Amino acid sequence: MTTSETRLPRHIPGWARVLTAFVLVLAVLFAGIRLAVLPGVKDLFGTESQDRSGPALLKSIQDMSRYDAASGTFQVVVDLEKNAKYLPDALHGSRTLYVGAGTVDAYVDLGRVGEKDVSVNGDRTSATLRLPHARLGRPALDPDHSYAVSKQRGLFDRLGDLFSDNPNSEQAVQKLAVRHIGDAARSSGLTARAESNTTGMLQGLLRSLGFEEVHVLYGS
């Protein structure tokens, strides 16, 4: 006489389920990396960009009375390192090497010139103008010529990037690049060049109107 024994399925421990899920996630990640590096396969899963931006909105209009007399182009290399206080850099920390290119304009605000700042002799052959000193505009970073050379991140930072999308990851180095470009412009003599160019422009303009002597002074 034979007897049949019915075996009940064993209960899978919780740690085994977690381990299995983790292995599956790693397998998917490695498969995605291999697909990305194989030639021709990446195009099958490539993305297509579409610009769905709305029209630009006019916020304000301002009349400009300044004369942009000079413009400087600068390039700086930003080396930004962030370290955790109690963790090694291999686990938590980052270092970014960034090349920033931008321009800074130097201008003379002609809108601040009043009647008392302009004097003309009786026969209108000589004129003296007193203008405010040239000033620097805000540095403008050029995104087409600015780029990250290298990025080093700790393990926790890399894992965090897998589950989050941070569009401002380069914002810190971009701000530093703008600040360094502004510092370089202040020590480059750009304002002196702007005042010289403004003087030449006004002298040429007034001499074409019949003035024989044109003196341009700066400062109060």
Side-chain angles (χ1 to χ4, degrees):
M1 182 177 178
T2 59
T3 60
S4 60
E5 181 180 355
T6 304
R7 295 184 177 180
L8 297 176
R10 294 183 178 180
H11 178 69
I12 300 177
W15 64 268
R17 294 181 180 178
V18 174
L19 181 60
T20 302
F22 182 72
V23 172
L24 290 176
V25 170
L26 289 180
V28 172
L29 290 177
F30 284 119
I33 294 174
R34 293 193 61 185
L35 287 175
V37 299
L38 288 177
V41 179
K42 184 177 179 181
D43 295 337
L44 296 177
F45 304 95
T47 59
E48 181 180 354
S49 300
Q50 295 183 2
D51 187 2
R52 301 185 183 276
S53 305
L57 300 178
L58 178 62
K59 301 295 291 184
S60 64
I61 296 179
Q62 294 180 349
D63 294 331
M64 306 299 294
S65 59
R66 73 183 197 181
Y67 175 65
D68 291 329
S71 180
T73 301
F74 302 89
Q75 186 181 73
V76 297
V77 178
V78 178
D79 188 356
L80 178 61
E81 184 176 3
K82 294 182 179 180
N83 300 319
K85 191 173 183 180
Y86 300 107
L87 291 176
D89 296 341
L91 293 179
H92 186 34
S94 64
R95 183 176 181 179
T96 304
L97 192 64
Y98 184 83
V99 176
T103 57
V104 179
D105 294 334
Y107 66 93
V108 176
D109 190 0
L110 300 179
R112 296 173 54 187
V113 180
E115 295 182 359
K116 62 180 182 179
D117 298 318
V118 179
S119 60
V120 179
N121 63 349
D123 54 2
R124 297 184 61 84
T125 58
S126 176
T128 301
L129 295 85
R130 183 172 295 276
L131 308 179
H133 282 294
R135 302 176 63 181
L136 294 176
R138 293 182 178 180
L141 195 65
D142 184 0
D144 294 332
H145 296 88
S146 301
Y147 53 91
V149 177
S150 65
K151 294 182 180 180
Q152 300 176 6
R153 292 169 296 173
L155 177 61
F156 294 160
D157 301 276
R158 293 196 298 268
L159 290 176
D161 292 341
L162 294 176
F163 303 99
S164 64
D165 184 13
N166 185 11
N168 297 323
S169 58
E170 294 184 355
Q171 186 177 14
V173 289
Q174 289 174 350
K175 288 184 177 180
L176 280 177
V178 169
R179 190 179 74 183
H180 291 321
I181 289 175
D183 294 339
R186 280 188 286 272
S187 59
S188 66
L190 193 60
T191 53
R193 180 68 173 270
E195 291 181 359
S196 177
N197 292 343
T198 304
T199 299
M201 182 272 295
L202 292 175
Q203 287 178 342
L205 176 63
L206 295 179
R207 284 171 181 168
S208 66
L209 298 177
F211 289 90
E212 298 176 359
E213 295 183 5
V214 178
H215 305 282
V216 180
L217 307 176
Y218 293 90
S220 56

